Amino acid sequence: MTRQRTEEERKQNILAAATRCFVRRGYTGTRLLDIAREAGLSKGGVYFHYRAKEHLFEDILNAHLDHVRQRWSFEPVMDQPADRTLVQLVEVQLRTLEAEPDETRLGNLLITLAPRSANIRRKLGQMSAAMVALYAAVIRRGMQEGVFRRGDPELLAHAVLAMMRGLAYETALDPQGKLPIGPEDAVECVLAMLRSLPVPRVGEFGPVLPSGQN
Amino acid sequence: MTRQRTEEERKQNILAAATRCFVRRGYTGTRLLDIAREAGLSKGGVYFHYRAKEHLFEDILNAHLDHVRQRWSFEPVMDQPADRTLVQLVEVQLRTLEAEPDETRLGNLLITLAPRSANIRRKLGQMSAAMVALYAAVIRRGMQEGVFRRGDPELLAHAVLAMMRGLAYETALDPQGKLPIGPEDAVECVLAMLRSLPVPRVGEFGPVLPSGQN
Amino acid sequence: MTRQRTEEERKQNILAAATRCFVRRGYTGTRLLDIAREAGLSKGGVYFHYRAKEHLFEDILNAHLDHVRQRWSFEPVMDQPADRTLVQLVEVQLRTLEAEPDETRLGNLLITLAPRSANIRRKLGQMSAAMVALYAAVIRRGMQEGVFRRGDPELLAHAVLAMMRGLAYETALDPQGKLPIGPEDAVECVLAMLRSLPVPRVGEFGPVLPSGQN
Amino acid sequence: MTRQRTEEERKQNILAAATRCFVRRGYTGTRLLDIAREAGLSKGGVYFHYRAKEHLFEDILNAHLDHVRQRWSFEPVMDQPADRTLVQLVEVQLRTLEAEPDETRLGNLLITLAPRSANIRRKLGQMSAAMVALYAAVIRRGMQEGVFRRGDPELLAHAVLAMMRGLAYETALDPQGKLPIGPEDAVECVLAMLRSLPVPRVGEFGPVLPSGQN
DNA sequence: ACGCTCGGGACGACCCGTTAAT
DNA sequence: ATTAACGGGTCGTCCCGAGCGT
């Protein structure tokens, strides 16, 4: 057996293997032996590092959250219009969705696990709140800059994030994990939702809304 | 004595109980005993109606798909503007999300099961395609009527549905299964995304409007 | 499979099988599979009646105690001299020791388990106390009748019982479970320890002492 | 630097630790890790000195036997009456029982192990035989001296030893490992069993025996 | 016809004795 | 002498089915 350098490295290795298994077979559907084989270890080897399947999962959950938190914990740049910043945010997130299918699947898995565990629910809620705050800040700035129409920034952030979450969902339906619509198209839709209404070029589309909407 | 009805009733009862269990504990995480208890039967009783756990799940899957298909298989009315029709569509769907949390959770569960089963992937894909077609038809009509801006109707339908899928996702985080934003607010966002407006892409993202907005 | 009549019968069957295993291999040394095979069942069959090895053992312990308690819970007859009663007591107990080797071994096993479990210690202590009380009563009567020398009845009861416990111990060393000395000889020794009189009641128990020694 | 001494010391240390564990948890119930911790080592450390758990136990068994053999392999002094010698023998043995609870428990453990192992049975049998021989010799001398009543010395030795074995048994029931009756009382009972004369406090028990020897 | 009691295999997580590498 | 790893169990438990009542 080829030994690995550090304890941390080994744990990471096992964690990665376990993640692959969990997102493919689910939590209860994954056997310790699957994880061991995926990590190139024996059952006992895994046991040496993790005494319980549950601990393994908890570590994965926390690592995932840390990872996501870290990726999105930055102050969005201010030297460009807010809409440009938002576009970048959305594009990066969508590209990540495709680039890291297992991370995306893990997100999906966590959802179905949420009803069983208040702990998962809580952590997922925190993560969601952080993302909302990030997006809401940019949207708020866009409103002040006049590039976005007025409204509740948090509410709009929720809407934008919901769309991206939904797209993440649909990658599960594609064997290759492709998005149903391209990131650029999605960006376009998001912008359409937020952009401040310019004066419509009257006559081109005629009466837009029957005015008395909803 | 209509035996048939009783038999069918019993099966429905078991199916409902099993669904509750599956969405709470996952497929492998659910034991036959759980289902039996939830249905007020003994293990043998369940077994009398369903020879295998797998059959049970298959029935649930098919019933769910039938149910959803049936709910959305109608020709949208034509005697009102398309945007109004779309609003109704979205509102109904969102209200259903909240009204039937287990159905929503089942949808979430199916996603995570998709990577393991081509069968599920296929059926979910069909369902998704049907929904897209439904929405796309309305959106296309809206474009013709001039209430929606021009674009690819399918693409936009995907975007709208993604947002709703994402909202469905978030009900899992709430113990009561509430949506993070109200259906009316969501409708507003959808309309904003679709409404006809001149595409003001001057430059690429640049200052969208010379600030003088309406 | 031949069904057995009652639930109780089946449990007794398993209990007996488990007892045989425990006294041969010890508690931790006995596998559930051993018990199942000994009872002519599969592991699942045993599990149906006993969900945990521990419960099985607890039932065995209690059954053993009940059994012993029942066997010795009687009022010794009063229509004969106390020494004769005692002789009968001792003889019955010693013969049982040989006749039921597994019960004897179970007693030995319980001793080694005592240091690990306050519960066992307590129950064994109760049993011991009951036996002491029984013997002490007879001894006390013998003292009043003048057939036993004066002394602390409890203390003497302890001594008598210790001897019998020690003899039980030694059956473990014999493959056939024979006592190292015959029950009659043991009776003789016990009487010698208690008797108040040198002049043997000739004919009744035989010449206890050659009387004319030295 | 005496490596040898250190090595031997370590082994003794491990042996003592293992004994403590075995008597508390039984053989199969004791894990190597328990022993390691008790000895202040790591699992591998124990393994460095003992290649197998079984060897460890064998060493303990042999050490125990050697120890006991050594303690009792002496020629009883002849310069005092045999009954006095016997009293000393019994007292020493009983005091040891209390003074070394783990040794006592080890004795108890070995009994329950006996049915599984002919080896243990044989060794325990040898030990028992040696003790019987020792006691029988003293008893035989006592008979010749007239202080003990006539009878089969071996048989009586068995009886005496059985009583002590039984007392050892009862220390297991006491958390502190106390005997149920004091050594002096036990000695009294043993003497009563062997003595050729009743307690000669004349008048207390009526006509005893006129032959007041020694 | 319908349901339950009882049982059979099989398997999963956990843990342990043992060894290889350091 | 320790840390890391390996297989081989063991217990608990699960899914499934056969027999027995009602």
Side-chain angles (χ1 to χ4, degrees), chain D residues 122-143:
Chain D
R122 189 171 45 76
K123 294 192 169 171
L124 243 39
Q126 289 175 2
M127 194 170 80
S128 176
M131 292 298 286
V132 167
L134 175 65
Y135 273 73
V138 176
I139 292 172
R140 184 174 294 109
R141 179 158 70 89
M143 290 176 180

Side-chain angles (χ1 to χ4, degrees), chain A residues 73-190:
Chain A
S73 72
F74 59 86
E75 281 303 304
V77 292
M78 302 291 285
D79 56 357
Q80 59 181 0
D83 57 350
R84 177 150 196 87
T85 300
L86 190 86
V87 162
Q88 285 171 350
L89 239 47
V90 171
E91 279 201 2
V92 166
Q93 191 163 356
L94 290 178
R95 286 192 205 290
T96 307
L97 246 39
E98 279 188 338
E100 310 241 20
D102 276 349
E103 194 183 311
T104 305
R105 287 192 192 106
L106 180 56
N108 292 337
L109 172 62
L110 291 178
I111 305 301
T112 65
L113 260 27
R116 307 179 220 180
S117 157
N119 186 34
I120 295 185
R121 231 158 29 230
R122 190 172 46 75
K123 294 193 171 173
L124 244 39
Q126 289 175 359
M127 194 171 80
S128 176
M131 292 298 287
V132 166
L134 175 65
Y135 272 73
V138 176
I139 292 173
R140 185 175 295 110
R141 180 159 68 88
M143 291 176 180
Q144 289 160 356
E145 292 175 4
V147 295
F148 292 154
R149 65 189 172 88
R150 304 246 162 237
D152 181 348
E154 298 238 335
L155 192 152
L156 288 167
H158 263 296
V160 171
L161 282 164
M163 198 173 108
M164 296 170 71
R165 200 53 253 169
L167 291 172
Y169 246 100
E170 300 220 22
T171 63
L173 298 185
D174 187 281
Q176 272 77 42
K178 290 288 159 213
L179 289 167
I181 62 177
E184 301 79 10
D185 295 324
V187 161
E188 188 72 15
C189 293
V190 168

Side-chain angles (χ1 to χ4, degrees), chain B residues 30-32 43 47 53:
Chain B
T30 296
R31 296 161 304 166
L32 240 28
K43 248 189 336 174
Y47 193 75
K53 194 184 179 184

Side-chain angles (χ1 to χ4, degrees), chain D residues 155-177:
Chain D
L155 193 150
L156 289 166
H158 263 296
V160 171
L161 282 166
M163 199 173 108
M164 296 168 73
R165 205 43 264 166
L167 291 172
Y169 162 104
E170 300 220 21
T171 62
L173 299 187
D174 187 280
Q176 274 77 44

